[in-house]
Amino acid sequence: MFLYLLVSAAYHSSRWLPRTQRLKFQIVNVVFILVVLIPQIYIMARPKSSRYCKQPLLINLCVSVALSFIASGFSLLFTLLDPVPQSLWASFHLFGLLSCGLGLSTSILTLTAAECVKSTPELYHMSAALTVASAVSAGVLLLRGGLWLSNRRPAAQTG
């Protein structure tokens, strides 16, 4: 859910700016993409990360990196296009389901990989950080969805 929330935040943040100012926002967008991608790629490239771990944390991190690249594409497209086509929105929400699945699998793998903290410490800690980010993002999205639903509910009839 973390990547889905980041793309959604990039979209909504860019809409506060006039169209002529959005190119400046792209620089900020690229910085955020690098902040998300560089630590994951660094941990993945570390020799200690390829050591044996009972849980497939390295494979999970590879999937996270792949989805991070897809998220970066979505964030760039959403901040450049106005209006955003419905087909792109549909594929973005499908990406949200994949991101949710990644968050759930990361959480489950991290919670069951306590012995991996000794063999692959960086990989385990990255997985733990992604688990926390996914949990916080899921909470934020649930809160935002609840607020959205409460605003869409028609007012009660009096009388």
Side-chain angles (χ1 to χ4, degrees):
M1 296 303 284
F2 174 64
L3 298 170
Y4 184 78
L5 181 66
L6 283 179
V7 174
S8 180
Y11 169 75
H12 290 293
S13 299
S14 71
R15 294 306 182 237
W16 290 344
L17 300 171
R19 285 186 195 181
T20 58
Q21 300 282 326
R22 289 191 188 161
L23 186 59
K24 295 176 186 176
F25 185 79
Q26 290 300 321
I27 297 168
V28 174
N29 199 5
V30 168
V31 169
F32 276 110
I33 291 167
L34 292 176
V35 165
V36 170
L37 274 172
I38 288 176
Q40 292 182 65
I41 292 171
Y42 175 75
I43 297 296
M44 196 169 58
R46 300 268 304 155
K48 285 184 179 181
S49 296
S50 63
R51 290 183 186 166
Y52 176 75
C53 177
K54 186 176 180 181
Q55 299 297 336
L57 295 179
L58 186 60
I59 294 170
N60 194 57
L61 184 61
C62 291
V63 172
S64 178
V65 168
L67 288 181
S68 295
F69 277 112
I70 294 170
S72 66
F74 275 121
S75 66
L76 290 173
L77 285 173
F78 281 174
T79 55
L80 289 175
L81 295 177
D82 196 19
V84 177
Q86 287 294 346
S87 58
L88 190 59
W89 277 115
S91 60
F92 172 63
H93 293 307
L94 179 63
F95 169 77
L97 290 174
L98 290 173
S99 181
C100 181
L102 176 68
L104 287 173
S105 69
T106 302
S107 300
I108 292 168
L109 290 174
T110 303
L111 292 174
T112 59
E115 70 279 353
C116 294
V117 73
K118 292 180 180 158
S119 61
T120 56
E122 295 95 352
L123 185 60
Y124 178 81
H125 292 301
M126 176 59 79
S127 184
L130 290 173
T131 297
V132 170
S134 292
V136 169
S137 298
V140 168
L141 287 169
L142 283 173
L143 179 67
R144 201 174 106 194
L147 292 172
W148 178 77
L149 284 175
S150 69
N151 286 337
R152 290 190 51 93
R153 189 174 47 164
Q157 296 289 333
T158 57

